[in-house]
Amino acid sequence: MVKDMQTIVNFCKSRGFMYQGSEIYGGIANVWDFGPLGCRLKNNIKDAWRKRYIQERENSYEIDAAILMHPRVWEASGHVTSFFDPKMDCKKCKTRFRADNFITDISKGEINGDGLSYEEMEEYIETNNIKCPVCGAHDFTKIRKFSQMFETYRGTTDEDKSIIYLRPENAQGEYVNFLNVQRTTRSKLPFSIGQIGKAFRNEITPGNFNFRTIEFEQMEFQTFCKKGNDSEIYNYFKEYAEQFFKDLGLSVENLRFHNHEKLAHYAKEACDIEYQFPFGWGEINGTHNRTNYDLSRHQEYSGKKMEYFDQATGERFIPYIVESTCGADRLTLMTICEALKKYEDKESERTVLELDPEIAPYKMSVLPLIKKKHSEKAKEIYKELRNYLMCYYDDSNSIGKRYRKSDAYGTPLAITVDDETLEKDVVTVRDRDTMEQEKISVNEINEYAPYALKKRRR
Ligand code: GAP
């Protein structure tokens, strides 16, 4: 595993996984664009989530709610009054810090800044004589609240403009549609609504590549249940999320649970799953027992009943919600951090992205051994293969360089077309991780591909 963040950033840029947002204008802080490879990887991660959380589960439905919601939604959710970060500036060099993360980082994770009050954070910085990591001064402003909500305006004339927010989380789209989905699917509790979509937060960030960005995609999943079943469902989804990450190819030693010390006022239980990034442990997933707070607030603010009618008992009540949430961009970075390996060879260094085949951007590469002699047959094979799996054709440079590229793209199998293919319809299949080669017949690739990929699952 590559332990150095700069190597990962360079790899992502040079291989087309991620680029700095608006780079030709000097970039925009904490905004990243996904390139051809990164886009495929992220889409595959979203598909894996969709399969695990929607397709393989009963009573689980996906929606796609609008990013722009009625401003009252964010009053009901509490975001307008309390979605703030603790902001602190260095008076000398003017660098801005998010104080809780700053303390967690500076104490190397020994102190969890998130669990401290503003006064406790100021006291920690004072008594430990903490210095600005940029200019070395010990001269900070007091810690103040900084709203994370992005505001924009709507209206047909300048006079008639009213504030509207870019959603800071997907969850509220699921909550306001709770009754719509329950009625149209005729679901009984417990049932779940999931959603993949963009969220926006005006974050004060310490960098760390695309770990914390101001625009990102969340994969959120809300299970509506009866009070009394909530804790069992909460524990179930903690394990469910961990299993999802293991199935994506993450090693157990790089994952840990972190129970929240300071619970939000509405939460009964909350736990993060953290991943060990090269820059330290960072949250990738949250499981939250949100009680009936969200639906009660929407009932209060909208004036619409948010109750469930239990036909078996004749009871009416506002359901509890257990949330399982994770970020698609953070997961993309995490899978690259986990999979990127560098091996020393006799002549050169070999960079391999050992991704699980399920999420690999391409499943196969098709390579003619000699361009002039074998490209026609190789293209024919590629054109057939691309009908049912994501693959690419490559005849640039030498075969050795093409293998290197295929490995760095994370492609599990490389198919080489040579004289034997022309004579006997036999190709060579090379395994990315073991570099072992095997001869198979062209018409076997069809069956071989899905089988080989499945066999290689960890
Ligand atoms: N609905 C609950 C909620 O939004 P959260 O812990 O604030 O909870 C959920 O966010 C997940 O979204 C996180 O675990 C993380 O993976 C991702 N996420 C949150 N803020 C992010 C940011 N600024 N950049 C990238 N991903 C972020």
Side-chain angles (χ1 to χ4, degrees):
M1 185 175 163
V2 174
K3 300 266 183 214
D4 154 43
M5 214 46 216
Q6 197 51 50
T7 306
I8 289 166
V9 175
N10 295 345
F11 168 81
C12 285
K13 188 171 174 192
S14 64
R15 294 291 177 180
F17 281 87
M18 277 180 245
Y19 313 118
Q20 171 84 68
S22 312
E23 192 178 336
I24 59 166
Y25 289 96
I28 165 169
N30 307 313
V31 176
W32 298 91
D33 295 339
F34 285 91
L37 271 283
C39 187
R40 287 226 48 76
L41 174 59
K42 185 171 149 184
N43 282 338
N44 291 344
I45 290 172
K46 289 193 282 184
D47 286 347
W49 182 91
R50 195 171 266 128
K51 181 166 181 288
R52 197 59 48 86
Y53 279 82
I54 307 288
Q55 183 182 322
E56 291 177 2
R57 301 187 54 77
E58 284 169 31
N59 275 343
S60 298
Y61 307 97
E62 186 177 359
I63 63 164
D64 182 7
I67 287 173
L68 299 175
M69 301 182 78
H70 195 291
R72 292 277 283 166
V73 167
W74 306 111
E75 290 173 31
S77 69
H79 282 84
V80 171
T81 47
S82 51
F83 197 46
F84 296 104
D85 273 344
K87 174 189 80 162
M88 177 185 83
D89 296 331
C90 168
K91 285 191 198 161
K92 193 168 168 222
C93 70
K94 311 289 178 221
T95 304
R96 177 157 291 178
F97 299 96
R98 187 175 146 176
D100 52 350
N101 288 346
F102 179 62
I103 289 173
T104 308
D105 290 347
I106 222 97
S107 67
K108 299 210 163 39
E110 267 178 40
I111 310 279
N112 177 16
D114 189 32
L116 304 179
S117 68
Y118 283 24
E119 291 71 31
E120 286 167 335
M121 285 191 258
E122 281 168 358
E123 196 186 317
Y124 178 87
I125 286 164
E126 223 21 71
T127 51
N128 291 286
N129 195 26
I130 302 295
K131 298 199 168 56
C132 171
V134 179
C135 71
H138 170 73
D139 194 8
F140 296 104
T141 60
K142 287 200 88 59
I143 298 172
R144 282 161 295 158
K145 288 176 168 180
F146 178 76
S147 172
Q148 281 186 262
M149 297 275 277
F150 272 113
E151 292 174 5
T152 185
Y153 300 94
R154 69 165 303 180
T156 43
T157 62
D158 275 354
E159 296 74 51
D160 170 33
K161 283 199 301 197
S162 58
I163 287 183
I164 192 160
Y165 301 99
L166 298 187
R167 69 178 176 204
E169 64 170 3
N170 285 0
Q172 301 303 324
E174 286 116 86
Y175 302 155
V176 300
N177 279 297
F178 153 67
L179 281 180
N180 283 336
V181 175
Q182 192 266 322
R183 284 179 186 147
T184 48
T185 60
R186 297 173 185 267
S187 288
K188 294 197 175 75
L189 296 188
F191 78 95
S192 312
I193 306 180
Q195 176 170 221
I196 300 179
K198 290 261 183 177
F200 304 83
R201 293 183 192 174
N202 199 3
E203 299 265 18
I204 309 163
T205 88
N208 291 340
F209 200 16
N210 79 328
F211 177 78
R212 196 179 296 283
T213 49
I214 58 177
E215 174 185 339
F216 53 97
E217 231 171 334
Q218 288 184 315
M219 305 187 287
E220 300 213 293
F221 191 77
Q222 320 292 333
T223 300
F224 300 85
C225 63
K226 193 170 178 178
K227 180 179 177 182
N229 298 338
D230 51 308
S231 286
E232 192 186 326
I233 292 176
Y234 166 78
N235 286 320
Y236 170 84
F237 275 108
K238 276 170 63 174
E239 305 294 328
Y240 197 80
E242 193 198 27
Q243 190 58 48
F244 173 58
F245 296 129
K246 286 186 194 161
D247 290 346
L248 287 184
L250 302 173
S251 42
V252 190
E253 61 271 19
N254 285 332
L255 293 170
R256 72 177 185 193
F257 286 111
H258 168 238
N259 287 310
H260 283 207
E261 290 151 29
K262 195 175 79 178
L263 286 174
H265 59 282
Y266 54 81
K268 188 170 151 188
E269 299 151 292
C271 178
D272 296 336
I273 294 179
E274 296 180 337
Y275 177 75
Q276 190 164 28
F277 290 93
F279 51 80
W281 290 96
E283 177 201 333
I284 48 165
N285 162 278
T287 311
H288 311 129
N289 182 344
R290 303 180 64 121
T291 67
N292 61 1
Y293 173 83
D294 301 279
L295 293 182
S296 304
R297 292 277 289 191
H298 285 305
Q299 175 165 298
E300 185 189 335
Y301 278 70
S302 68
K304 298 279 181 330
K305 285 253 179 276
M306 298 299 278
E307 290 172 344
Y308 171 80
F309 176 62
D310 189 337
Q311 286 177 333
T313 62
E315 284 175 280
R316 278 183 198 281
F317 57 89
I318 299 180
Y320 267 42
I321 295 174
V322 174
E323 175 179 60
S324 178
T325 170
C326 55
D329 311 75
R330 236 175 238 191
L331 258 56
T332 308
L333 174 63
M334 174 183 74
T335 51
I336 293 173
C337 291
E338 178 81 23
L340 188 61
K341 308 275 162 61
K342 295 222 183 238
Y343 297 106
E344 291 299 330
D345 204 284
K346 269 186 221 118
E347 299 112 48
S348 61
E349 196 181 56
R350 196 168 82 93
T351 301
V352 190
L353 196 60
E354 292 178 358
L355 289 169
D356 187 280
E358 187 179 0
I359 55 171
Y362 294 106
K363 309 304 176 200
M364 288 189 186
S365 53
V366 183
L367 320 171
L369 185 64
I370 302 166
K371 187 177 169 182
K372 273 194 186 149
K373 263 174 105 180
H374 308 121
S375 59
E376 197 184 325
K377 182 69 181 170
K379 275 187 190 156
E380 191 188 296
I381 292 173
Y382 159 69
K383 282 180 185 165
E384 173 57 26
L385 267 181
R386 72 182 179 187
N387 289 324
Y388 59 93
L389 55 79
M390 198 70 196
C391 53
Y392 73 93
Y393 169 85
D394 187 8
D395 61 15
S396 61
N397 298 312
S398 67
I399 187 75
K401 284 192 176 151
R402 280 185 254 145
Y403 280 146
R404 290 277 191 272
K405 181 162 128 191
S406 186
D407 292 344
Y409 278 10
T411 315
L413 301 173
I415 307 275
T416 307
V417 174
D418 55 20
D419 285 346
E420 242 186 303
T421 321
L422 304 183
E423 288 153 20
K424 297 189 225 153
D425 247 14
V426 164
V427 290
T428 307
V429 180
R430 176 184 170 276
D431 183 295
R432 174 195 68 196
D433 301 341
T434 61
M435 292 192 283
E436 276 169 20
Q437 304 199 353
E438 200 181 330
K439 300 267 182 195
I440 62 163
S441 133
V442 171
N443 49 28
E444 265 181 302
I445 307 177
N446 240 339
E447 300 135 43
Y448 187 89
Y451 166 73
L453 296 179
K454 201 164 171 226
K455 197 176 73 171
R456 291 162 46 79
R457 287 290 305 267
R458 272 164 251 214

